[in-house]
Amino acid sequence: MASTVASSSPLPIEQALADFSPGLPFAVAFSGGADSTALLLACARRWPGQVRAVHIHHGLQAAADGFEAHCRVLCAQWGVPLAVRRVHAGHAPGQSPEDAARQARYQALAEAVQTEWPDVHDVALAQHADDQIETLLIALSRGAGLPGLASMPAHWQRQGLNWHRPWLTVPGAALREWLHRQGQSWIEDPSNTDERFTRNRIRAHVLPALAKALPAFRETFARSAAHAAQAQEVLNEVAAQDLAQVGVPPRIQALQQLSRARQALVLRHWLRQQHATTPSTAQLNELLDQVAACTTRGHRLHLKVGQGFVQRAGAHLAWQVI
């Protein structure tokens, strides 16, 4: 009975670290909050002298200077080199401030690592199991497809770096309990309790209700997200093969030979891979209708998609940035 309970319970911090195999040396994104504090402290102990830290100062609240000072003190205590970058992310029309801040944060993290430590190629982030469930629930609330339901990957490559999320199997409460046992303090960001944000409302009200009604929801929801991610990998392979056939930029006549579902796949893939934009469902459906209507030389196409326009350029589709 004991082995059954152990196998179904969330992985402890020690097991999550044992499953984490970054290239050495590596960097940790360090906000000073509980999750990144646990990650930096645990990694610094496991790989002494091999860990670097990057703190992103957003300047979004008055306490930001205090966050930076706290991170500097801890890194000095632990002997961890620290780089600090300041970002002021403005958001484009139609883009949420949270998304703009997230993109600016990733850009700043990559720039700091590659500038400060050219021998570092791996970065660890501290999102945990509850963050993963919140991401999945937000995706469901927005009617997301497989990419959204796949939630956050544990490993991926971006901007020439290998990114890792070693805590995705560990609940946030377990990280805080571990820090308490270490006698280690952390910063509580006041914005994390601001229920104007959907994620905070989910954290405060939905997760406790799920834990009461479905005690194993973290494991089962994570398994569903993993199934969605696996299915999306297959679709990405199909989309890449189809894009190779229709060309870059896509030939309209070649697109029209595909089913509407495969046209949608290849157009999403083209826009995401070549132009770093993702169309909304309404934009994609309108684009598919316009592609189907391109049966004469004189048919014009100029459609807002993501952060730019898709237009017709002779026999091909073209992309124009706003």
Side-chain angles (χ1 to χ4, degrees):
M1 179 66 69
S3 62
T4 300
V5 172
S7 64
S8 63
S9 61
L11 291 172
I13 286 177
E14 293 77 10
Q15 184 60 56
L17 281 176
D19 293 337
F20 178 35
S21 300
L24 301 178
F26 68 99
V28 171
F30 183 38
S31 69
D35 314 326
S36 65
T37 298
L39 182 59
L40 184 59
L41 177 56
C43 287
R45 289 179 177 176
R46 183 176 177 84
W47 293 283
Q50 297 293 327
V51 181
R52 318 288 183 257
V54 181
H55 176 76
I56 303 301
H57 186 304
H58 285 287
L60 296 176
Q61 51 185 299
D65 289 340
F67 296 169
E68 177 186 334
H70 176 86
C71 291
R72 288 189 182 278
V73 168
L74 289 186
C75 286
Q77 289 177 355
W78 299 338
V80 174
L82 173 68
V84 175
R85 290 294 184 275
R86 293 175 176 252
V87 299
H88 299 281
H91 60 283
Q95 183 185 32
S96 72
E98 295 84 359
D99 183 54
R102 181 169 55 252
Q103 291 189 24
R105 181 164 60 250
Y106 276 108
Q107 181 64 38
L109 281 168
E111 186 275 333
V113 169
Q114 292 166 336
T115 301
E116 299 286 339
W117 310 294
D119 59 335
V120 170
H121 304 290
D122 292 65
V123 182
L125 306 174
Q127 287 96 350
H128 51 70
D130 294 344
D131 295 321
Q132 183 77 307
I133 300 305
E134 291 162 12
T135 300
L136 174 60
L137 292 174
I138 289 171
L140 284 168
S141 74
R142 294 173 177 170
L146 283 178
L149 300 182
S151 303
M152 297 184 291
H155 314 285
W156 77 104
Q157 293 183 328
R158 178 178 179 174
Q159 295 172 298
L161 296 170
N162 303 308
W163 301 79
H164 308 267
R165 291 188 175 105
W167 283 167
L168 282 186
T169 57
V170 183
L175 297 173
R176 284 163 173 74
E177 180 183 348
W178 182 81
L179 286 172
H180 279 304
R181 291 201 304 269
Q182 314 307 310
Q184 179 59 57
S185 64
W186 63 86
I187 292 169
E188 287 291 357
D189 187 337
S191 69
N192 288 339
T193 59
D194 186 345
E195 294 191 13
R196 289 176 297 176
F197 299 107
T198 301
R199 186 176 291 274
N200 292 341
R201 294 196 299 274
I202 290 173
R203 186 177 304 140
H205 303 291
V206 179
L207 295 191
L210 282 172
K212 184 175 180 179
L214 303 168
F217 78 96
R218 288 182 178 85
E219 293 85 353
T220 56
F221 283 24
R223 192 155 59 242
S224 291
H227 291 325
Q230 186 177 53
Q232 186 59 47
E233 285 184 21
V234 175
L235 293 179
N236 287 343
E237 292 176 6
V238 172
Q241 292 168 2
D242 283 348
L243 185 59
Q245 292 296 318
V246 304
V248 180
R251 298 190 309 277
I252 295 172
Q253 190 172 25
L255 271 174
Q256 292 170 337
Q257 303 308 307
L258 300 173
S259 69
R260 186 178 175 96
R262 288 179 73 161
Q263 287 182 39
L265 276 178
V266 75
L267 287 171
R268 278 200 193 95
H269 190 74
W270 169 57
L271 290 166
R272 184 175 62 250
Q273 295 297 319
Q274 299 294 319
H275 304 294
T277 195
T278 301
S280 68
T281 299
Q283 289 172 340
L284 184 60
N285 284 332
E286 177 63 22
L287 179 56
L288 291 168
D289 290 343
Q290 291 294 323
V291 167
C294 283
T295 56
T296 64
R297 290 180 180 272
H299 184 90
R300 295 184 67 253
L301 191 158
H302 187 77
L303 181 67
K304 173 73 166 61
V305 176
Q307 301 303 312
F309 290 91
V310 174
Q311 56 191 11
R312 183 175 184 176
H316 296 80
L317 295 180
W319 169 258
Q320 179 184 16
V321 179
I322 294 176

